[in-house]
Amino acid sequence: MGKWFPYIYDFGMKPLEAKRFTAVRKKLLQKARGRVLEIGSGSGVNFPLYQEVQQVDAIEPSREMQKKSASRLQAASVPIYCHQQTAEQLDFADQTFDTVVSTLVFCTIPDPEKALKEIQRVAKPGAVFLFFEHVKMEQPLLAKTQDMLTPFWKKICDGCHLNRNTLALIRQAGFQVRETEEFYKGLFITAVCTYDADCL
Ligand SMILES: C[S@@+](CC[C@H](N)C(=O)[O-])C[C@H]1O[C@@H](n2cnc3c(N)ncnc32)[C@H](O)[C@@H]1O
């Protein structure tokens, strides 16, 4: 991670969070239940938004980002435990979690397919997967623009693949996509998913 990224992330996201994202996060996280795994928790933006869950295990590879989340950890109304891990190698037993949450993370994960497999491994049968991600846009001109911007974007946004088709990756990994909602002409989506290995 670029050294400066943790220090500008919250500042850069503030207008989007205030205008739309915080409401989107709240609506999605209302669906979280039981023991929750949060992938790439960053500066802990979601921490104060969890309500009726037993506990949250938040994994985040960057120590600097974890430090940034300290004040939000204090503001949380549920127990949250932070772990320095990557999504591709989760240090949890099989079938541990009732809910898995990922917000604005899959664009940055170096090996998203491996991460999705790990998520399936640690989720209990019947678990719910809550994604809020930016995705490849359907409109061809906008998708092409995403492709063109991606090499530059990766450099300034800490490895973020602006053109990653995360929803397609989620489907290909065998998740059943139950609900989706689009924002900003389909640049951002929320998806509520389940995974039943027997359905594959
Ligand atoms: C754009 S930030 C999003 C943070 C937070 N989830 C949010 O919604 O604001 C992406 C986060 O993904 C984390 N990340 C990068 N690679 C990862 C990986 N392999 N596994 C888990 N998290 C990762 C980064 O360290 C960063 O904190």
Side-chain angles (χ1 to χ4, degrees):
M1 166 167 290
K3 273 201 177 127
W4 47 269
F5 189 75
Y7 301 95
I8 59 146
Y9 182 71
D10 282 342
F11 178 75
M13 292 294 286
K14 214 170 182 172
L16 275 174
E17 291 291 345
K19 191 157 189 246
R20 199 106 187 240
F21 282 12
T22 303
V24 171
R25 291 173 190 275
K26 268 188 192 155
K27 187 176 168 195
L28 187 69
L29 294 179
Q30 273 173 8
K31 299 177 198 290
R33 291 288 179 270
R35 186 166 174 188
V36 178
L37 172 65
E38 181 171 338
I39 303 291
S41 51
S43 58
V45 182
N46 292 330
F47 290 174
L49 307 180
Y50 287 106
Q51 293 302 322
E52 291 173 20
V53 306
Q54 180 196 329
Q55 76 173 60
V56 178
D57 291 274
I59 66 124
E60 167 56 51
S62 157
R63 270 269 179 256
E64 287 72 29
M65 274 297 208
Q66 277 188 339
K67 280 186 205 152
K68 287 269 156 204
S69 70
S71 59
R72 293 190 175 112
L73 203 55
Q74 299 290 321
S77 59
V78 301
I80 299 184
Y81 304 96
C82 295
H83 312 268
Q84 193 179 19
Q85 293 182 27
T86 66
E88 294 96 328
Q89 197 170 0
L90 295 172
D91 193 11
F92 297 103
D94 296 358
Q95 304 191 355
T96 300
F97 295 99
D98 302 285
T99 307
V100 181
V101 170
S102 164
T103 64
L104 309 180
V105 174
F106 264 86
C107 51
T108 312
I109 291 179
D111 189 342
E113 286 95 347
K114 192 170 178 193
L116 289 167
K117 279 206 177 75
E118 271 294 84
I119 287 173
Q120 289 166 347
R121 179 184 68 75
V122 300
K124 290 179 185 171
V128 174
F129 304 87
L130 305 174
F131 295 97
F132 170 38
E133 300 287 348
H134 64 72
V135 292
K136 183 95 179 242
M137 297 172 87
E138 282 185 10
Q139 208 279 337
L141 192 61
L142 294 174
K144 188 86 195 140
T145 309
Q146 285 180 296
D147 289 340
M148 279 164 48
L149 285 175
T150 292
F152 168 70
W153 195 263
K154 268 164 77 176
K155 284 197 182 117
I156 60 162
C157 291
D158 203 47
C160 167
H161 296 70
L162 185 60
N163 62 349
R164 185 168 277 171
N165 200 342
T166 295
L167 188 58
L169 291 174
I170 289 168
R171 287 205 164 98
Q172 281 158 21
F175 288 90
Q176 289 83 47
V177 179
R178 303 289 177 191
E179 287 170 37
T180 56
E181 196 175 345
E182 293 186 354
F183 311 92
Y184 297 107
K185 298 187 189 298
L187 174 58
F188 293 91
I189 56 133
T190 55
V192 179
C193 306
T194 54
Y195 174 71
D196 181 355
D198 296 339
C199 284
L200 297 178

